[in-house]
Each structure stands twice: as C-alpha cells, then as structure tokens.
Amino acid sequence: MAYVEGFVVAVPEENREAYRDLAARAAEVFKRYGATRIVEAWGTDVPEGKITDFPRAVQSEPGEVVVFSWIEFPSKQARDDTFARMEAENAMDDFMDEMPFDGKRMIFGGFETILDV
C-alpha cells in the first residue's frame, strides 16, 4: 500500500491563489522525484473542537484557513529517497522563499496506509 506524507497549515484567506500556485509548482517537483499523487484541500468546514482541532493544531489566527494536504508515494522508502534527493539537489530552493503562510506553524508527518477502499 501507499505511504502518505500529510500536512496541515494555516493560510491567510487572501493568499489562497498564491498558495495554490506555490502548491502546483511544488507538486511538479514532487512528481518529478517520485510522488504518485498530491492533494491540496482548502478548509470550508473545519469546526472548533472542545479539546483539540485543526485550527488549534496550527495556531490558526483570524482570517486564516486551514489547509489539509497529502502526498502519496509507493512506499516509505520511496518517500525517504524522494526527500533525500530533493534536499541534495536543492529542488525547492527556487520558490520556497515565496511561502504565503507561516511555515513554523505547519504540522506534518509520514503515515503507512492501513486501509484504502
């Protein structure tokens, strides 16, 4: 089964198109280096929870939207190889200074697929 690298970030509402453009550019790079699928999802129904929630996880501020994203790879090894090659070749350097959000509040992690129906 696939391996998934997941991301959650808060993006200022007015930066939606800038975020989408950056994500599209990054997706091209990830695909070139081995990702099989990239999904970017703009939050439209992200409720506040009683104990925890997506907005608190990324310290969302007024006027920000939570974005939930994931990148699929054939395996964890493929993900690890992709990230290592991208870092060694500075594959994202051309546009990472253009991030239209606070990258310090991004949460991310790798996940092994256990069900895909």
Short mmCIF file of all heavy atoms in Angstrom, two decimals, residues 3-5 8-9 18 27 36 44 55 63 73-75 77 82 86-87 90 93 98 100 105-106 108 110 112 115:
data_model
loop_
_atom_site.label_atom_id
_atom_site.label_comp_id
_atom_site.label_asym_id
_atom_site.label_seq_id
_atom_site.Cartn_x
_atom_site.Cartn_y
_atom_site.Cartn_z
N TYR A 3 2.40 5.02 0.84
CA TYR A 3 2.86 5.75 2.01
C TYR A 3 2.46 7.21 1.81
O TYR A 3 2.56 7.74 0.70
CB TYR A 3 4.39 5.63 2.15
CG TYR A 3 4.89 6.10 3.48
CD1 TYR A 3 4.81 5.28 4.60
CD2 TYR A 3 5.42 7.37 3.63
CE1 TYR A 3 5.28 5.72 5.84
CE2 TYR A 3 5.88 7.81 4.86
CZ TYR A 3 5.80 6.98 5.96
OH TYR A 3 6.25 7.41 7.18
N VAL A 4 1.99 7.85 2.87
CA VAL A 4 1.44 9.20 2.76
C VAL A 4 2.21 10.16 3.65
O VAL A 4 2.44 9.87 4.83
CB VAL A 4 -0.05 9.22 3.16
CG1 VAL A 4 -0.61 10.62 3.14
CG2 VAL A 4 -0.86 8.30 2.25
N GLU A 5 2.60 11.29 3.08
CA GLU A 5 3.18 12.40 3.85
C GLU A 5 2.07 13.44 3.97
O GLU A 5 1.57 13.95 2.96
CB GLU A 5 4.39 12.99 3.11
CG GLU A 5 5.10 14.06 3.86
CD GLU A 5 5.99 13.52 4.99
OE1 GLU A 5 6.26 12.31 5.05
OE2 GLU A 5 6.41 14.34 5.81
N VAL A 8 -0.69 19.91 7.49
CA VAL A 8 -1.77 20.83 7.85
C VAL A 8 -1.11 22.18 8.11
O VAL A 8 -0.10 22.27 8.80
CB VAL A 8 -2.55 20.36 9.11
CG1 VAL A 8 -3.68 21.34 9.43
CG2 VAL A 8 -3.11 18.96 8.91
N VAL A 9 -1.69 23.24 7.53
CA VAL A 9 -1.13 24.58 7.65
C VAL A 9 -2.26 25.60 7.65
O VAL A 9 -3.34 25.33 7.12
CB VAL A 9 -0.12 24.84 6.50
CG1 VAL A 9 -0.79 24.88 5.15
CG2 VAL A 9 0.69 26.08 6.75
N ALA A 18 -2.12 32.47 -4.23
CA ALA A 18 -0.67 32.37 -4.09
C ALA A 18 -0.29 31.00 -3.53
O ALA A 18 0.68 30.38 -3.98
CB ALA A 18 -0.14 33.49 -3.19
N ALA A 27 4.16 20.57 -6.43
CA ALA A 27 3.64 19.28 -6.89
C ALA A 27 4.42 18.78 -8.09
O ALA A 27 4.72 17.58 -8.19
CB ALA A 27 2.15 19.39 -7.20
N THR A 36 3.39 9.93 -6.33
CA THR A 36 2.38 9.43 -7.26
C THR A 36 1.10 10.26 -7.26
O THR A 36 0.34 10.21 -8.23
CB THR A 36 2.02 7.96 -6.94
OG1 THR A 36 1.58 7.88 -5.58
CG2 THR A 36 3.23 7.06 -7.15
N THR A 44 -13.23 24.32 4.33
CA THR A 44 -14.50 25.03 4.22
C THR A 44 -15.43 24.69 5.37
O THR A 44 -16.41 25.41 5.61
CB THR A 44 -15.23 24.70 2.90
OG1 THR A 44 -15.47 23.29 2.84
CG2 THR A 44 -14.39 25.15 1.71
N PRO A 55 -7.65 23.94 13.67
CA PRO A 55 -7.18 25.32 13.85
C PRO A 55 -6.18 25.48 14.99
O PRO A 55 -5.18 26.18 14.87
CB PRO A 55 -8.46 26.11 14.10
CG PRO A 55 -9.53 25.33 13.39
CD PRO A 55 -9.12 23.89 13.61
N GLY A 63 -8.91 35.17 10.10
CA GLY A 63 -8.63 35.43 8.69
C GLY A 63 -7.79 34.36 8.01
O GLY A 63 -7.48 34.48 6.83
N PHE A 73 3.22 8.25 -1.97
CA PHE A 73 4.40 7.60 -2.53
C PHE A 73 4.14 6.10 -2.57
O PHE A 73 3.33 5.59 -1.79
CB PHE A 73 5.62 7.87 -1.64
CG PHE A 73 6.00 9.32 -1.55
CD1 PHE A 73 5.48 10.13 -0.55
CD2 PHE A 73 6.87 9.88 -2.47
CE1 PHE A 73 5.83 11.46 -0.47
CE2 PHE A 73 7.22 11.21 -2.40
CZ PHE A 73 6.70 12.01 -1.39
N PRO A 74 4.86 5.37 -3.41
CA PRO A 74 4.67 3.92 -3.45
C PRO A 74 5.03 3.22 -2.14
O PRO A 74 4.48 2.17 -1.82
CB PRO A 74 5.60 3.46 -4.57
CG PRO A 74 5.87 4.67 -5.39
CD PRO A 74 5.76 5.83 -4.45
N SER A 75 5.96 3.82 -1.37
CA SER A 75 6.42 3.20 -0.12
C SER A 75 7.11 4.25 0.74
O SER A 75 7.42 5.35 0.26
CB SER A 75 7.42 2.08 -0.43
OG SER A 75 8.59 2.63 -1.01
N GLN A 77 10.13 3.95 1.78
CA GLN A 77 11.47 4.07 1.20
C GLN A 77 11.47 5.04 0.03
O GLN A 77 12.38 5.86 -0.11
CB GLN A 77 12.01 2.70 0.76
CG GLN A 77 13.46 2.76 0.30
CD GLN A 77 14.40 3.18 1.42
OE1 GLN A 77 14.41 2.58 2.48
NE2 GLN A 77 15.18 4.23 1.19
N THR A 82 12.92 10.23 -2.08
CA THR A 82 12.48 11.47 -2.72
C THR A 82 12.97 12.68 -1.93
O THR A 82 13.56 13.60 -2.48
CB THR A 82 10.96 11.51 -2.86
OG1 THR A 82 10.56 10.50 -3.79
CG2 THR A 82 10.46 12.86 -3.32
N MET A 86 15.68 15.40 -3.22
CA MET A 86 15.24 16.79 -3.34
C MET A 86 16.13 17.71 -2.52
O MET A 86 16.50 18.79 -2.96
CB MET A 86 13.77 16.93 -2.94
CG MET A 86 12.82 16.36 -3.96
SD MET A 86 11.09 16.38 -3.43
CE MET A 86 10.80 18.13 -3.22
N GLU A 87 16.48 17.28 -1.30
CA GLU A 87 17.33 18.10 -0.45
C GLU A 87 18.74 18.21 -1.03
O GLU A 87 19.31 19.30 -1.10
CB GLU A 87 17.39 17.52 0.97
CG GLU A 87 18.18 18.39 1.92
CD GLU A 87 18.13 17.89 3.36
OE1 GLU A 87 17.22 17.12 3.71
OE2 GLU A 87 19.02 18.30 4.13
N ASN A 90 18.67 20.55 -3.91
CA ASN A 90 18.03 21.85 -3.66
C ASN A 90 16.84 22.09 -4.59
O ASN A 90 16.67 23.17 -5.15
CB ASN A 90 19.04 22.99 -3.79
CG ASN A 90 20.20 22.83 -2.83
OD1 ASN A 90 20.02 22.54 -1.66
ND2 ASN A 90 21.41 23.00 -3.35
N ASP A 93 14.47 25.14 -3.78
CA ASP A 93 15.08 26.43 -3.44
C ASP A 93 14.58 27.60 -4.27
O ASP A 93 14.55 28.73 -3.79
CB ASP A 93 16.60 26.35 -3.54
CG ASP A 93 17.23 25.60 -2.37
OD1 ASP A 93 16.48 25.13 -1.49
OD2 ASP A 93 18.47 25.50 -2.35
N GLU A 98 8.90 32.01 -1.19
CA GLU A 98 7.61 32.60 -1.54
C GLU A 98 6.45 32.02 -0.74
O GLU A 98 5.30 32.23 -1.11
CB GLU A 98 7.35 32.37 -3.04
CG GLU A 98 8.41 32.93 -3.95
CD GLU A 98 8.23 32.47 -5.38
OE1 GLU A 98 7.09 32.17 -5.79
OE2 GLU A 98 9.24 32.42 -6.09
N PRO A 100 3.35 31.58 1.16
CA PRO A 100 2.33 32.54 1.56
C PRO A 100 1.64 32.16 2.89
O PRO A 100 0.44 32.36 3.07
CB PRO A 100 1.34 32.50 0.39
CG PRO A 100 1.45 31.10 -0.12
CD PRO A 100 2.88 30.69 0.10
N ARG A 105 4.30 27.09 11.69
CA ARG A 105 3.09 26.52 12.28
C ARG A 105 2.56 25.32 11.50
O ARG A 105 1.50 24.79 11.81
CB ARG A 105 2.00 27.60 12.39
CG ARG A 105 2.38 28.66 13.42
CD ARG A 105 1.25 29.65 13.64
NE ARG A 105 1.18 30.60 12.53
CZ ARG A 105 0.04 31.01 11.97
NH1 ARG A 105 -1.11 30.57 12.38
NH2 ARG A 105 0.08 31.88 10.98
N MET A 106 3.28 24.88 10.49
CA MET A 106 2.88 23.71 9.72
C MET A 106 3.12 22.45 10.55
O MET A 106 4.14 22.34 11.24
CB MET A 106 3.69 23.61 8.43
CG MET A 106 3.36 22.37 7.61
SD MET A 106 4.52 22.02 6.26
CE MET A 106 4.48 23.50 5.31
N PHE A 108 3.27 18.17 10.10
CA PHE A 108 3.42 17.19 9.03
C PHE A 108 3.90 15.87 9.61
O PHE A 108 4.39 15.82 10.74
CB PHE A 108 4.40 17.69 7.96
CG PHE A 108 5.75 18.05 8.48
CD1 PHE A 108 6.77 17.11 8.54
CD2 PHE A 108 6.01 19.33 8.94
CE1 PHE A 108 8.02 17.45 9.03
CE2 PHE A 108 7.26 19.68 9.43
CZ PHE A 108 8.26 18.74 9.48
N GLY A 110 4.68 11.35 8.33
CA GLY A 110 4.53 10.24 7.39
C GLY A 110 3.62 9.17 7.97
O GLY A 110 3.69 8.87 9.17
N GLU A 112 1.76 5.23 7.22
CA GLU A 112 1.63 3.99 6.47
C GLU A 112 0.14 3.72 6.26
O GLU A 112 -0.65 3.76 7.21
CB GLU A 112 2.24 2.86 7.31
CG GLU A 112 2.17 1.51 6.67
CD GLU A 112 2.80 0.46 7.57
OE1 GLU A 112 4.01 0.58 7.85
OE2 GLU A 112 2.06 -0.44 8.01
N LEU A 115 -5.64 1.06 5.28
CA LEU A 115 -6.91 0.75 4.61
C LEU A 115 -7.08 1.74 3.47
O LEU A 115 -6.91 2.95 3.65
CB LEU A 115 -8.09 0.88 5.58
CG LEU A 115 -9.49 0.65 4.98
CD1 LEU A 115 -9.65 -0.81 4.54
CD2 LEU A 115 -10.57 1.05 5.96
#
